[in-house]
Amino acid sequence: MSVQSEFLAKACAAARAAGHVFPEMAACEAALESGWGHSRLTEEANNLFGQKQDAGRNEGVGTLAMPTREFLRGEWVTVEAEWVKFADWQASFAGRMQILRALSAEYASYAAALRAKTPEQFVQLVSERWSTDPRRAAKVVEIYDAHRAALTVV
């Protein structure tokens, strides 16, 4: 089993255990967001999705301050941010669902994503607000398509 397949198996199991919708696609999102589990944020905070600290909306076990790259006003810039620390990957997926549900009343794309009929529709709708990367959804779908066979056995 490849390192990528192992990551997806572990992430998919954590997503399922957390009750995440479309756990296979969520595992692919986590692969993109976390650099296949090798980002500092994942290694130090079990934060697979780049979830920033937001009082009252995240139930982490602490905060990690570090810089991030954001696509703002048409260019990539580095900004300092505070990130949620999670106890484990399951908690990261559960926190992800918690924030999507909490913000679904405020952001129509999150509400629509939670009602999506396909994994591709889900990631397209979530990506409208989740990330500043304009190619995020396409990148996640590329991972999903490339690893679809491995995802069907996890």
Side-chain angles (χ1 to χ4, degrees):
M1 184 179 274
S2 73
V3 172
Q4 291 176 332
S5 293
E6 287 179 26
F7 174 89
L8 290 173
K10 180 181 175 183
C12 196
R16 277 195 192 105
H20 200 292
V21 295
F22 300 107
E24 293 85 1
M25 185 62 79
C28 295
E29 288 181 277
L32 176 68
E33 296 279 348
S34 72
W36 295 94
H38 297 294
S39 71
R40 177 179 166 208
L41 189 56
T42 300
E43 290 176 349
E44 294 182 26
N46 288 310
N47 188 327
L48 293 163
F49 291 96
Q51 292 182 72
K52 293 177 182 165
Q53 194 58 267
D54 185 2
R57 291 195 173 146
N58 288 310
E59 293 183 9
V61 294
T63 302
L64 175 66
M66 60 182 267
T68 184
R69 287 178 31 97
E70 302 273 343
F71 193 76
L72 302 171
R73 295 174 293 284
E75 65 181 342
W76 287 102
V77 296
T78 300
V79 297
E80 193 71 20
E82 291 189 344
W83 307 90
V84 180
K85 283 178 137 180
F86 292 102
D88 55 29
W89 285 15
Q90 182 178 336
S92 181
F93 282 101
R96 174 30 160 28
M97 285 304 299
Q98 177 185 352
I99 201 80
L100 288 177
R101 287 184 184 115
L103 293 175
S104 66
E106 190 174 339
Y107 300 115
S109 62
Y110 288 171
L114 293 172
R115 295 187 309 270
K117 302 292 185 214
T118 68
E120 294 86 357
Q121 183 183 38
F122 169 80
V123 79
Q124 183 64 46
L125 290 162
V126 164
S127 295
E128 290 177 17
R129 295 250 0 132
W130 191 264
S131 170
T132 60
D133 182 347
R135 291 207 64 253
R136 181 187 187 273
K139 291 175 184 178
V140 173
V141 170
E142 287 170 11
I143 292 169
Y144 183 75
D145 288 342
H147 297 278
R148 194 179 298 244
L151 286 164
T152 60
V153 297
V154 295

